[in-house]
Amino acid sequence: MLRRLVLFLILMTLATGAFSTALAQDVIELEAWVAFSDHRYDWAVDTADRFNALHDDINVTMVSVVDYDTIVNNYTLGREDGTYPEIVQLFDAALQFAVDSDWFSYAETIIDGRDEVLGHPVNFDDIIPVISNYYTVDGIWASVAWNTSTPIMYYNVELLEQAGIMELPLTWADILDACVALQPLVDDGTISACATWPFSGWFIEQWLAQQNEYMVNNENGRAGRATEFNLDTDAYRAIAQFYRDLYSNGYFIFEGQDQWGPPTQTFISGKTAIMMSSSAAARAISEGAAATGFTLETTPMAYNQDAPSGWVGNILGGATMWISNGLDQAVEDAAMAFLLFFSNTENSASWHTASGYVPVRNSSIELLKNLEPGNEILWDIPSGGRVDIEAADWYAAFPNFLTASTQLGDSTVNNATRGSTYGTFQQSRPYYNGLVEEYMLNGGDLDAMIAETNAELTELLQEYNFLFADE
Amino acid sequence: MEEIAYIVHPAVVTLAGALLGALYFAFLRWQTQVGSQRVSLIVGAIAGAIGATMLTAPLGYCMFQGDQTSEDVMVGWIMVGLGLLLTLNIGSVVLWRYFRGQRLLPRGDTTPGAFRGRFGLVYALAVLSPTILVLVYFVYLPMFDTLRFSTFLARFGAPRTRFICVSNFSRMLGDLDYHSNLFLSFALSFGIIIIAMSLALLIASMLNQPIRGANVYRTLLIWPYAISPIVAGSIFGLLLGTESGIVNRVLDLTLGVKVPWLVTVPAAQISVVLASVWNVIGFNILFYTAGLQTIPKDLLESASIDGASAWQQFARITFPLLSPFTFFLIVTNTIYAFFDTFGLIFVLTRGGPTESTFTAMYRVYVTGILASDIGKSTAQSLILFLIVVGITIFQFRVGQRRVQYGNY
């Protein structure tokens, strides 16, 4: 009797197992790697859940990976042993590598002329041109824009007013002047220094573009494959000198290369009056400023007033979503449908409120300007869900969030402001950023330092090209 | 067939090795006065020839060819030297054991016969195979790959690689940045080892006193070792930030000063050393505590009855009896300081300011993982490997003479 019961149970278990496997086979499992771990990751998970709720047969799982660099490294290693996701978020510095590696299916190829994928409209023309332009490779729309940012300035208005500064600084000279005016506040211990910001190579790239200068030859690698570095320019020298002036006068708090947390903390706790950061930090810095109790205002990224070109424009930063190649048609379509949903009008608008990333669609900006009750767009950090924006015009109520869009909108699109593309981007960043760090901290023979680093970076680039470029 | 032009011909390399080997073995023969003169000369020449060619021949003597730089040739000679070190040492030990009629391998203490019989070897291999498979797959094959990649220009994801002989190594010879990375590795490691060990010994001695709740302290003190270097780095990052760090907050409130811990020299280097010390010290305390408990109380008691001061007891009895532990800890701490601190450095300083905490192992990580430049990074990791092997051999040679393994 007992034996029969056991046998029956075993058979039942096997049967249910087989049944559930059969069911599971009908669900397409997608993994998406993103480089966020804070409330921006919560937003991504929530939005993936919304997509999953629309499709019984697709399940998207978000995976949080430390940062942009680590995502590229993990994906690269994953390709070696076959453990990589269907969707991966790659930042601008990995663009050339993404193209050269031949690991991805391009969005436009997957869409193949369709108007919609699994019910999600393509509507490519709605994407802001400067954004779609950046991620178009050889005339093909390669990856799906999601988080697009640009550096902007953040100011503590009360501190500036206390120092008698009534107009927000716009240029490097304005910042140095403001720092002179703010020095009494430093001396009496009200603040620690005039300014701080993350010491990132990204800002150097931006400042080169602003001055209409290329990082690498062949017009930043946009007119042909880049083969040489182009650091020996007045624009690059000016950046190093600006940092040197800031630091040697004690105006700038340096917290180490690529440390984003400490400078932000310092600024939002009211210990400096000036900060520069990605527009993607707008939401976090706004919350911080409100908690400390000061008025936050933003302006476009400060520029070199002495550049012969004047201000030309900024590069758009951030990352886009890429789809791994070699997937089944059904899986590829599911991934594409998800990304179209992820960056549709409502979601792009909501994502903007959650972070400060620029909305990638014109229709999103329109939506944010003409809100109606029941919109459920504002990301509420504490509850981790979407709530109504009460104002009718988001930008009128939160003008600090408009600065980034304005800056990109005003930018002239040319091969300087489209930004550089070359294979050793990630590898080179610490070099040209480190050189400026060295000069800022210790001074020295700038020309000799540039010559040495330029030669070194050119050699690395040529080695890369040898391994990757078509013969 | 096309004639290859050599700067140094392979025959010259082989002959030079053979000559050196013969001379060395002749010297040993003269020194020991054991064995046959002729046999030692012949074996010495063979060992020398093998030593000179074992590392250079697999690469086709490429480093000695006409189109190579003088640095490449120098790397070639270093490879000849390394090969000679290996074969002449092993060869001489084997030969003189033979001359003296000793067994080639010392007999172990294990009971023989367990795997005798018809299928003994098969059975032994079957039992060992899981371990061997794991070792081959996870240790030996990657090591072989490391050796192979170090002679290539290679990147992850690249459609092709390129054999570049020893360029990855010869480039390091002239790279002043790399030299300073290496020097820094030694300097920081030295600081970490000295402080971590002396402090651990002090704390372990205090723990060895009959104090209330010693077990609780012991557990708490060992805790930091359970934390990975990355997390240790994050903790110290929160503590040591210039503006937002807790340490400077306290210093500012009490003394009115702020130390830029992570962004000035030598504060950043000191910070890295202290954070590493904190991370590894629990391990040292664990072993020293265990070591102190093995020291017989009666020995110390009789010493104190004879009027030895506490310091004398420590210096003459406790410390010498701890020497096996000290020796073990020096070796493991060296390996920790050289290889495991890069995660901590990555989080804490990113090698800065101005590369002042950029150790050789951090360079391996940055080159290989961050930049996917695996050819260069495997070459760098081989250099580190050789250095640590060298240090360990040195430590064993020096250490074993002074270590006292007491039988109590």
Side-chain angles (χ1 to χ4, degrees):
Chain A
M1 181 65 205
L2 187 67
R3 193 177 291 176
R4 272 195 198 164
L5 186 68
V6 171
L7 196 67
F8 176 72
L9 283 176
I10 290 174
L11 281 175
M12 279 298 287
T13 320
L14 285 175
T16 28
F19 186 59
S20 57
T21 324
L23 266 185
Q25 273 168 351
D26 287 336
V27 175
I28 296 170
E29 290 287 342
L30 297 176
E31 204 174 283
W33 287 4
V34 295
F36 300 115
S37 48
D38 54 7
H39 62 272
R40 293 175 292 187
Y41 175 65
D42 298 338
W43 184 92
V45 171
D46 175 71
T47 308
D49 288 345
R50 284 163 187 265
F51 178 80
N52 293 339
L54 294 176
H55 297 269
D56 291 340
D57 53 345
I58 305 174
N59 183 41
V60 181
T61 312
M62 283 285 159
V63 175
S64 163
V65 182
V66 192
D67 55 26
Y68 288 144
D69 274 312
T70 315
I71 274 202
V72 182
N73 305 332
N74 289 7
Y75 188 86
T76 305
L77 296 175
R79 275 317 284 222
E80 296 283 314
D81 62 12
T83 54
Y84 53 92
E86 286 77 15
I87 300 168
V88 62
Q89 182 196 20
L90 296 180
F91 69 149
D92 44 11
L95 175 61
Q96 188 66 45
F97 180 64
V99 172
D100 288 339
S101 65
D102 224 1
W103 283 338
F104 302 98
S105 289
Y106 291 173
E108 199 171 328
T109 316
I110 298 173
I111 291 168
D112 196 21
R114 288 176 282 180
D115 295 337
E116 46 95 28
V117 180
L118 305 180
H120 297 276
V122 173
N123 221 349
F124 182 64
D125 295 339
D126 187 26
I127 295 175
I128 296 168
V130 63
I131 297 174
S132 51
N133 201 9
Y134 188 94
Y135 293 102
T136 300
V137 178
D138 299 331
I140 301 173
W141 178 33
S143 60
V144 182
W146 172 41
N147 59 318
T148 299
S149 64
T150 185
I152 57 174
M153 309 301 298
Y154 296 85
Y155 296 104
N156 182 322
V157 177
E158 280 82 10
L159 285 175
L160 291 183
E161 282 174 355
Q162 239 179 299
I165 304 160
M166 291 305 159
E167 282 188 15
L168 296 178
L170 294 173
T171 64
W172 293 358
D174 291 347
I175 287 187
L176 289 169
D177 288 346
C179 288
V180 174
L182 281 156
Q183 196 56 36
L185 296 184
V186 179
D187 296 337
D188 71 17
T190 311
I191 54 174
S192 299
C194 167
T196 189
W197 54 74
F199 197 84
S200 165
W202 189 45
F203 297 139
I204 294 176
E205 294 145 27
Q206 294 284 346
W207 272 327
L208 285 179
Q210 281 189 346
Q211 302 176 71
N212 209 25
E213 191 55 85
Y214 301 133
M215 178 70 83
V216 288
N217 71 345
N218 287 335
E219 300 188 20
N220 259 345
R222 298 277 177 179
R225 188 177 278 277
T227 55
E228 273 171 25
F229 249 81
N230 184 40
L231 286 185
D232 189 10
T233 58
D234 289 339
Y236 183 65
R237 262 185 278 272
I239 296 166
Q241 193 57 47
F242 175 52
Y243 267 119
R244 176 98 183 120
D245 292 344
L246 276 175
Y247 184 80
S248 58
N249 287 305
Y251 299 153
F252 180 75
I253 301 173
F254 172 64
E255 299 257 23
Q257 262 198 46
D258 283 301
Q259 300 284 3
W260 289 74
T264 311
Q265 204 55 45
T266 304
F267 176 74
I268 61 179
S269 59
K271 301 305 269 179
T272 63
I274 302 173
M275 156 104 180
M276 181 167 68
S277 190
S278 165
S279 64
R283 178 68 187 269
I285 294 176
S286 302
E287 304 268 333
T292 311
F294 67 84
T295 311
L296 177 77
E297 280 193 28
T298 59
T299 66
M301 186 191 198
Y303 62 95
N304 178 9
Q305 68 291 334
D306 297 329
S309 61
W311 181 85
V312 175
N314 275 78
I315 312 168
L316 70 99
T320 51
M321 306 297 269
W322 294 76
I323 298 175
S324 297
N325 63 6
L327 304 175
D328 290 341
Q329 169 93 44
V331 180
E332 216 169 49
D333 275 357
M336 194 63 232
F338 170 66
L339 293 182
L340 289 171
F341 172 81
F342 207 52
S343 59
N344 71 15
T345 304
E346 289 78 24
N347 287 331
S348 185
S350 176
W351 172 237
H352 166 71
T353 72
S355 54
Y357 282 108
V358 182
V360 295
R361 289 179 180 274
N362 284 315
S363 58
S364 305
I365 296 178
E366 283 311 305
L367 176 66
L368 285 164
K369 283 179 177 166
N370 305 290
L371 291 162
E372 282 167 17
N375 53 65
E376 278 210 5
I377 280 179
L378 179 65
W379 183 252
D380 185 48
I381 296 175
S383 70
R386 295 186 189 183
V387 297
D388 264 20
I389 297 176
E390 275 156 25
D393 182 344
W394 159 263
Y395 289 115
F398 300 95
N400 287 333
F401 282 72
L402 188 59
T403 308
S405 290
T406 312
Q407 173 162 298
L408 288 177
D410 291 349
S411 296
T412 310
V413 178
N414 63 21
N415 283 338
T417 60
R418 288 176 78 200
S420 54
T421 177
Y422 58 100
T424 52
F425 202 143
Q426 261 184 293
Q427 187 173 17
S428 305
R429 243 183 191 167
Y431 285 76
Y432 54 75
N433 200 29
L435 191 160
V436 174
E437 180 197 341
E438 167 103 52
Y439 184 70
M440 172 182 84
L441 295 179
N442 303 329
D445 184 352
L446 189 55
D447 288 341
M449 286 154 72
I450 288 175
E452 191 193 335
T453 303
N454 204 56
E456 227 171 325
L457 290 177
T458 297
E459 192 184 353
L460 288 174
L461 180 56
Q462 288 174 351
E463 285 178 2
Y464 175 96
N465 288 347
F466 180 83
L467 295 182
F468 281 93
D470 298 327
E471 280 165 41
Chain B
M1 201 178 138
E2 204 182 325
E3 188 80 4
I4 303 169
Y6 285 103
I7 298 173
V8 184
H9 200 276
V12 176
V13 175
T14 317
L15 279 176
L19 191 69
L20 214 72
L23 277 174
Y24 178 60
F25 276 45
F27 168 74
L28 286 180
R29 166 70 188 72
W30 171 77
Q31 204 184 26
T32 55
Q33 297 291 327
V34 176
S36 135
Q37 182 88 45
R38 195 191 306 163
V39 171
S40 54
L41 274 177
I42 292 172
V43 175
I46 294 171
I50 294 175
T53 54
M54 66 180 288
L55 295 174
T56 48
L59 297 177
Y61 301 102
C62 62
M63 67 295 284
F64 293 126
Q65 287 172 9
D67 53 347
Q68 302 293 311
T69 63
S70 59
E71 277 94 2
D72 292 327
V73 176
M74 201 189 293
V75 170
W77 285 122
I78 293 173
M79 291 167 83
V80 167
L82 283 174
L84 283 173
L85 263 179
L86 197 69
T87 53
L88 293 188
N89 267 312
I90 293 177
S92 61
V93 169
V94 170
L95 186 64
W96 263 267
R97 273 182 182 276
Y98 170 77
F99 281 158
R100 294 196 172 103
Q102 293 161 333
R103 290 178 60 91
L104 286 188
L105 292 172
R107 190 192 283 272
D109 286 340
T110 47
T111 319
F115 290 108
R116 278 208 190 131
R118 229 164 144 192
F119 297 107
L121 187 66
V122 177
Y123 182 55
L125 281 178
V127 171
L128 284 174
S129 62
T131 316
I132 292 176
L133 279 178
V134 167
L135 280 177
V136 165
Y137 194 75
F138 288 105
V139 178
Y140 300 131
L141 282 181
M143 265 185 91
F144 177 75
D145 266 351
T146 304
L147 275 172
R148 199 171 64 85
F149 272 126
S150 70
T151 58
F152 276 88
L153 187 60
R155 280 171 182 269
F156 285 125
R160 52 185 168 269
T161 55
R162 176 198 205 177
F163 179 72
I164 52 167
C165 194
V166 293
S167 290
N168 285 329
F169 295 95
S170 53
R171 196 197 294 240
M172 279 187 268
L173 272 185
D175 185 352
L176 292 180
D177 284 343
Y178 187 70
H179 295 177
S180 68
N181 295 157
L182 269 182
F183 174 76
L184 197 71
S185 290
F186 278 102
L188 292 187
S189 301
F190 188 71
I192 293 169
I193 294 164
I194 294 286
I195 300 175
M197 295 203 30
S198 47
L199 212 57
L201 182 56
L202 183 73
I203 294 173
S205 307
M206 281 155 62
L207 273 181
N208 207 34
Q209 309 298 321
I211 40 171
R212 195 192 291 244
N215 280 329
V216 178
Y217 290 124
R218 228 169 269 164
T219 312
L220 289 178
L221 282 165
I222 290 160
W223 220 320
Y225 187 66
I227 290 172
S228 82
I230 292 258
V231 178
S234 306
I235 293 173
F236 274 80
L238 290 175
L239 286 173
L240 297 177
T242 309
E243 281 302 319
S244 48
I246 299 165
V247 170
N248 272 0
R249 178 84 185 137
V250 173
L251 287 181
D252 194 25
L253 287 176
T254 51
L255 304 171
V257 291
K258 284 182 197 163
V259 183
W261 292 107
L262 302 175
V263 288
T264 48
V265 182
Q269 293 157 334
I270 293 171
S271 302
V272 166
V273 169
L274 291 184
S276 310
V277 165
W278 180 81
N279 190 208
V280 78
I281 198 168
F283 181 76
N284 297 356
I285 292 174
L286 187 69
F287 277 86
Y288 270 138
T289 310
L292 285 169
Q293 281 165 5
T294 64
I295 293 173
K297 292 268 186 300
D298 47 354
L299 215 60
L300 293 169
E301 239 174 61
S302 58
S304 78
I305 290 168
D306 289 344
S309 69
W311 169 249
Q312 281 172 326
Q313 285 177 39
F314 176 80
R316 298 290 174 86
I317 298 171
T318 310
F319 191 68
L321 287 180
L322 280 178
S323 57
F325 293 89
T326 306
F327 177 61
F328 167 76
L329 287 176
I330 287 180
V331 174
T332 50
N333 277 223
T334 306
I335 291 167
Y336 168 84
F338 256 87
F339 289 112
D340 290 351
T341 48
F342 76 92
L344 188 147
I345 291 170
F346 175 68
V347 177
L348 205 54
T349 63
R350 306 238 165 183
T354 60
E355 302 216 341
S356 61
T357 56
F358 218 105
T359 60
M361 182 61 203
Y362 186 60
R363 169 78 65 196
V364 171
Y365 172 73
V366 167
T367 315
I369 302 298
L370 290 188
S372 293
D373 205 338
I374 38 180
K376 290 194 195 70
S377 89
T378 46
Q380 289 163 359
S381 72
L382 275 177
I383 296 290
L384 269 191
F385 171 72
L386 284 179
I387 287 174
V388 169
V389 166
I391 293 177
T392 311
I393 290 174
F394 173 77
Q395 285 167 342
F396 266 89
R397 291 224 160 158
V398 175
Q400 267 176 346
R401 264 180 248 140
R402 305 193 181 188
V403 173
Q404 304 178 11
Y405 293 97
N407 281 320
Y408 289 101

